[in-house]
Amino acid sequence: MMDTQKDIEIRLVADRKQNLPDKSKMSFGKQFADHMLVCDYENGAWQTPVIMPVENLALHPATSAFHYGQAIFEGIKAYRRADNRIAIFRPRDNWIRMNRSAQRLDMPGIPEEIFMDGLLRLIGLDQDWVPEGEGFSLYIRPFMIGTDASLGLESSRSYKFIIITSPAAAYYSKDLSIYIQSQYVRAVPGGTGFTKAAGNYAASLLPTSEVRAKGYDQILWTDAVEHKYVQEIGTMNVFFVVNGTVLTPALDDGTILAGITRASIIGLMKELGYRVEERKISVGELIAAHNAGQLEEAFGSGTAASMSMITQLTYEDKTMSLSDPASWSIAPAINKLLNDIRYGKVPDLNHWVTLV
Amino acid sequence: MMDTQKDIEIRLVADRKQNLPDKSKMSFGKQFADHMLVCDYENGAWQTPVIMPVENLALHPATSAFHYGQAIFEGIKAYRRADNRIAIFRPRDNWIRMNRSAQRLDMPGIPEEIFMDGLLRLIGLDQDWVPEGEGFSLYIRPFMIGTDASLGLESSRSYKFIIITSPAAAYYSKDLSIYIQSQYVRAVPGGTGFTKAAGNYAASLLPTSEVRAKGYDQILWTDAVEHKYVQEIGTMNVFFVVNGTVLTPALDDGTILAGITRASIIGLMKELGYRVEERKISVGELIAAHNAGQLEEAFGSGTAASMSMITQLTYEDKTMSLSDPASWSIAPAINKLLNDIRYGKVPDLNHWVTLV
């Protein structure tokens, strides 16, 4: 079965899978749709993208991504609306961010048409894999790896850009207890903290395992220099509501991921008239606000998790408990508005949604 | 062809390759010997190691190493001596260091017998691939990657430990011009700088490309906090001789790789009565020493490069030129002594060499 349209080669699976796994058995990122998109970069140029059955990659053991870590990714979600149209949330922003990651890791940028047309064709083909229901989605994982079979420490000359997809239930199902980390460090100005480089996440696994063993859900990272200013949570940006003002760490020192959910939340909040400050936020400021009874809300934001409410923040031997999120006025409303935009229940005034 | 001995399964290639590539065409890390060792970690246990023909790995596109960067490596060299015995330099120290990297990246430690017995069997089998001649060696690359096919951000439960080998000429053939970097950052206390994690190297590629475009060979990194204290060079630790005293950055803040060549050099120098100081070294101190005519020698050390003499150091708009290394009294003598130990020309008093 061959097809060419828009310069994408299509090789369909012989037999479609039994469609979706049972919703109650949906485990994040472990089940995959029928097809993937693969595009090779060779001899200085991106080759024809191929949509093909999800299958193992054959890679030489000297493949550079294994040794020198040129590996970046993105996370996007597609939602099934009541009218069965499939909506993808801000995918072009992921394309832009992926190319920022690529630049920092000395990898080639991906042309918009390969990323966007490839994505839309792939999701169109596998749209039966987008589960229905609030909170459910098809998680889309574009990634790129260096593929030279060479142990010399230099940037790879060949790459694979791949998109795989996986049906997903909501990522976090409960409110979060967060540990503010001041020993381990995630990111530093001049490093790769603003990218979705695989190596950033590798460095976070042990610290996260350690705090999970103590009963916390995630780490809130602090800056590398003074261990004083908060940065982001494992897979999410972080927000606080202090005395009615929304605070989130600024992006300007290059240590924090420029979250697309983060940007969307800031945009919606400003449209709704909330005061939002992107700036440095110290742990001391949070403790003082909590002591004054003004730390009203806290939450993480990200594509995988959307918005996750934080009800406990622990720093050294001090635990700050927040009130029940059911009583919060800002975060739950914004979360609902974001989801209503995704699922098409309210007008998409910012043109964030791409329909398949 | 099957064989089992010491719990290693052996599958030989059907036809041995034409042995070594021509020495003049030996390109670092691009040609590989006939066999590799592969050992899988599954269900909480290392499985039987297999020595098998070098062939592509079949990996699901969701393989965790591509996405979350659990990927570490080591570098070791085997040397062919005049009597045709094959000598491996301090491989047990690489095993220890690999397990330190594994611990930081939340990966399982490799048992000594799998690493050491596997290595010795592999090199014994492919010993025709160890080239003869001073400076030539067989480069040995043990590495480990997370292999779960899952997009959830968590440590992989399955891994592959692999050893591949590649015949190597000397890595650097000329003296080095080094740029002292104070914008980009390689490592910070609390991070992964002391490990051989793939992600560390990915972060260094763009900064290195940028300085190469300006005519420098490598970067000398400075600390993340004050951009003042030197750390290490791309693939090497760094040493300076100032007024007869040997200086090298200390390991204690966890930002610097604990080089095995570094440790060997320090050990030999101390045995020979040189004064060696492992401590913080500021760029200002180097500039002052140079201005006083006391920056006598500088070199990098590492397995791939062994010792590489540095004749130029540039910081911002100041370039410090050193004298011709032929006139140096310490570094060239230590380099010769190290090589004489490897090639068996002098007694191995420290028991650093493992003969195959």
Side-chain angles (χ1 to χ4, degrees), chain B residues 312-355:
Chain B
Q312 287 208 321
L313 281 159
T314 301
Y315 178 70
E316 295 176 353
D317 55 357
K318 175 165 180 66
T319 294
M320 298 174 263
S321 295
L322 282 75
S323 60
D324 183 342
S327 70
W328 297 358
S329 61
I330 301 179
I334 296 290
N335 199 22
K336 180 176 186 307
L337 177 54
L338 253 183
N339 282 324
D340 285 350
I341 293 169
R342 289 163 173 149
Y343 290 99
K345 296 178 180 175
V346 297
D348 172 25
L349 301 175
N350 293 296
H351 307 289
W352 284 340
V353 167
T354 299
L355 291 171

Side-chain angles (χ1 to χ4, degrees), chain B residues 186-259:
Chain B
R186 177 188 172 277
V188 61
T192 57
F194 67 93
T195 70
K196 287 188 83 72
N200 292 348
Y201 296 83
S204 78
L205 294 170
L206 176 73
T208 303
S209 292
E210 289 181 1
V211 304
R212 285 198 175 144
K214 293 179 185 164
Y216 306 101
D217 299 301
Q218 280 286 351
I219 286 170
L220 174 56
W221 299 95
T222 55
D223 75 285
V225 178
E226 300 181 70
H227 302 296
K228 185 175 161 183
Y229 298 103
V230 300
Q231 293 183 335
E232 63 179 75
I233 297 173
T235 55
M236 298 184 287
N237 292 114
V238 70
F239 288 79
F240 304 95
V241 181
V242 173
N243 197 23
T245 297
V246 181
L247 306 179
T248 192
L251 304 177
D252 49 21
D253 77 353
T255 59
I256 295 173
L257 190 76

Side-chain angles (χ1 to χ4, degrees), chain B residues 30-238:
Chain B
K30 288 189 164 57
Q31 296 122 344
F32 301 93
D34 285 318
H35 299 94
M36 63 181 179
L37 178 117
V38 178
C39 188
D40 291 329
Y41 182 87
E42 288 165 5
N43 303 317
W46 289 101
Q47 309 297 308
T48 302
V50 183
I51 289 176
M52 56 189 291
V54 172
E55 62 185 29
N56 286 344
L57 308 174
L59 294 168
H60 192 280
T63 293
S64 89
F66 299 145
H67 302 270
Y68 304 127
Q70 281 183 300
I72 57 175
F73 69 93
E74 281 296 323
I76 310 175
K77 279 187 169 175
Y79 304 88
R80 180 176 296 277
R81 295 180 161 188
D83 64 0
N84 269 323
R85 295 290 308 262
I86 306 301
I88 308 180
F89 192 71
R90 304 188 72 169
R92 194 170 175 281
D93 294 278
N94 293 88
W95 165 67
I96 291 168
R97 188 172 66 185
M98 189 155 191
N99 280 350
R100 277 203 299 268
S101 295
Q103 195 274 335
R104 178 63 182 83
L105 269 73
D106 208 22
M107 302 165 81
I110 301 154
E112 181 173 4
E113 57 276 17
I114 291 177
F115 189 101
M116 290 299 297
D117 295 351
L119 179 67
L120 292 173
R121 277 307 286 287
L122 180 67
I123 304 308
L125 195 63
D126 278 347
Q127 62 182 276
D128 287 352
W129 286 84
V130 186
E132 61 177 350
E134 188 91 12
F136 290 84
S137 60
L138 184 71
Y139 182 78
I140 302 166
R141 171 56 62 94
F143 68 104
M144 196 203 317
I145 54 173
T147 54
D148 278 6
S150 170
L151 300 178
L153 177 57
E154 60 188 358
S155 300
S156 186
R157 289 177 178 79
S158 56
Y159 295 86
K160 277 187 186 294
F161 168 65
I162 299 176
I163 306 176
I164 51 177
T165 68
S166 173
Y171 195 74
Y172 290 109
S173 50
K174 67 182 195 64
D175 299 332
L176 301 178
S177 172
I178 297 291
Y179 182 84
I180 302 175
Q181 175 65 256
S182 55
Q183 305 296 318
Y184 292 113
V185 167
R186 177 188 172 277
V188 61
T192 57
F194 67 93
T195 70
K196 287 188 83 72
N200 292 348
Y201 296 83
S204 78
L205 294 170
L206 176 73
T208 303
S209 292
E210 289 181 1
V211 304
R212 285 198 175 144
K214 293 179 185 164
Y216 306 101
D217 299 301
Q218 280 286 351
I219 286 170
L220 174 56
W221 299 95
T222 55
D223 75 285
V225 178
E226 300 181 70
H227 302 296
K228 185 175 161 183
Y229 298 103
V230 300
Q231 293 183 335
E232 63 179 75
I233 297 173
T235 55
M236 298 184 287
N237 292 114
V238 70

Side-chain angles (χ1 to χ4, degrees), chain A residues 28-30 32 36 54-62 65-73 103-106 139 141 143 145 149-155 157 162 164 166 171 183-185 188-192 197-199 201-207 209-210 212 224-225 227 234-235, chain B residues 28-30 32 36 54-62 65-73 103-106 139 141 143 145 149-155 157 162 164 166 171 183-185 188-192 197-199 201-207 209-210 212 224-225 227 234-235:
Chain A
F28 183 80
K30 289 190 164 59
F32 302 92
M36 62 180 179
V54 171
E55 61 184 32
N56 286 343
L57 308 174
L59 294 169
H60 192 279
F66 299 145
H67 301 270
Y68 304 128
Q70 281 182 300
I72 58 176
F73 68 93
Q103 195 274 335
R104 178 62 182 83
L105 269 72
D106 208 23
Y139 182 78
R141 171 56 61 92
F143 67 103
I145 54 173
S150 170
L151 300 178
L153 177 56
E154 59 188 358
S155 300
R157 288 174 178 79
I162 299 176
I164 51 178
S166 173
Y171 195 74
Q183 305 297 318
Y184 291 112
V185 167
V188 60
T192 58
Y201 296 84
S204 77
L205 294 170
L206 176 72
S209 292
E210 289 181 359
R212 286 197 174 144
V225 177
H227 303 296
T235 54
Chain B
F28 182 80
K30 288 189 164 57
F32 301 93
M36 63 181 179
V54 172
E55 62 185 29
N56 286 344
L57 308 174
L59 294 168
H60 192 280
F66 299 145
H67 302 270
Y68 304 127
Q70 281 183 300
I72 57 175
F73 69 93
Q103 195 274 335
R104 178 63 182 83
L105 269 73
D106 208 22
Y139 182 78
R141 171 56 62 94
F143 68 104
I145 54 173
S150 170
L151 300 178
L153 177 57
E154 60 188 358
S155 300
R157 289 177 178 79
I162 299 176
I164 51 177
S166 173
Y171 195 74
Q183 305 296 318
Y184 292 113
V185 167
V188 61
T192 57
Y201 296 83
S204 78
L205 294 170
L206 176 73
S209 292
E210 289 181 1
R212 285 198 175 144
V225 178
H227 302 296
T235 55

Side-chain angles (χ1 to χ4, degrees), chain A residues 98-326:
Chain A
M98 189 154 191
N99 280 351
R100 279 204 299 269
S101 295
Q103 195 274 335
R104 178 62 182 83
L105 269 72
D106 208 23
M107 302 165 82
I110 301 154
E112 182 173 4
E113 58 276 18
I114 291 178
F115 189 101
M116 290 299 296
D117 295 351
L119 179 67
L120 292 173
R121 278 305 288 287
L122 180 67
I123 305 307
L125 196 62
D126 278 345
Q127 61 182 273
D128 286 352
W129 286 85
V130 185
E132 61 178 349
E134 188 89 13
F136 289 85
S137 59
L138 184 71
Y139 182 78
I140 302 167
R141 171 56 61 92
F143 67 103
M144 195 204 315
I145 54 173
T147 54
D148 277 6
S150 170
L151 300 178
L153 177 56
E154 59 188 358
S155 300
S156 186
R157 288 174 178 79
S158 56
Y159 295 87
K160 277 186 185 295
F161 168 64
I162 299 176
I163 305 177
I164 51 178
T165 68
S166 173
Y171 195 74
Y172 290 110
S173 50
K174 65 180 194 69
D175 298 333
L176 300 179
S177 172
I178 297 290
Y179 182 84
I180 303 176
Q181 176 62 258
S182 56
Q183 305 297 318
Y184 291 112
V185 167
R186 177 188 172 276
V188 60
T192 58
F194 67 94
T195 70
K196 285 188 85 71
N200 292 348
Y201 296 84
S204 77
L205 294 170
L206 176 72
T208 303
S209 292
E210 289 181 359
V211 303
R212 286 197 174 144
K214 292 178 187 165
Y216 306 101
D217 298 302
Q218 279 288 349
I219 286 169
L220 174 57
W221 299 95
T222 55
D223 74 285
V225 177
E226 301 181 70
H227 303 296
K228 183 175 163 184
Y229 298 103
V230 300
Q231 292 183 335
E232 64 179 76
I233 297 174
T235 54
M236 300 185 285
N237 293 115
V238 70
F239 289 78
F240 305 94
V241 181
V242 173
N243 197 23
T245 297
V246 181
L247 308 178
T248 192
L251 303 177
D252 48 21
D253 76 354
T255 59
I256 295 172
L257 190 75
I260 292 161
T261 310
R262 174 189 181 278
S264 306
I265 290 168
I266 292 171
L268 291 176
M269 284 180 166
K270 287 183 174 173
E271 287 167 19
L272 293 172
Y274 291 109
R275 181 183 171 118
V276 181
E277 297 179 3
E278 295 179 69
R279 61 169 172 83
K280 285 192 173 185
I281 304 164
S282 72
V283 178
E285 177 179 359
L286 296 175
I287 292 173
H290 183 260
N291 288 342
Q294 297 185 332
L295 183 55
E296 295 157 351
E297 306 182 19
F299 58 94
S301 73
T303 292
S306 191
M307 280 171 69
S308 296
M309 307 309 159
I310 297 168
T311 50
Q312 285 208 323
L313 280 159
T314 300
Y315 178 70
E316 295 176 351
D317 56 357
K318 175 166 180 65
T319 294
M320 297 175 264
S321 294
L322 280 75
S323 60
D324 183 341

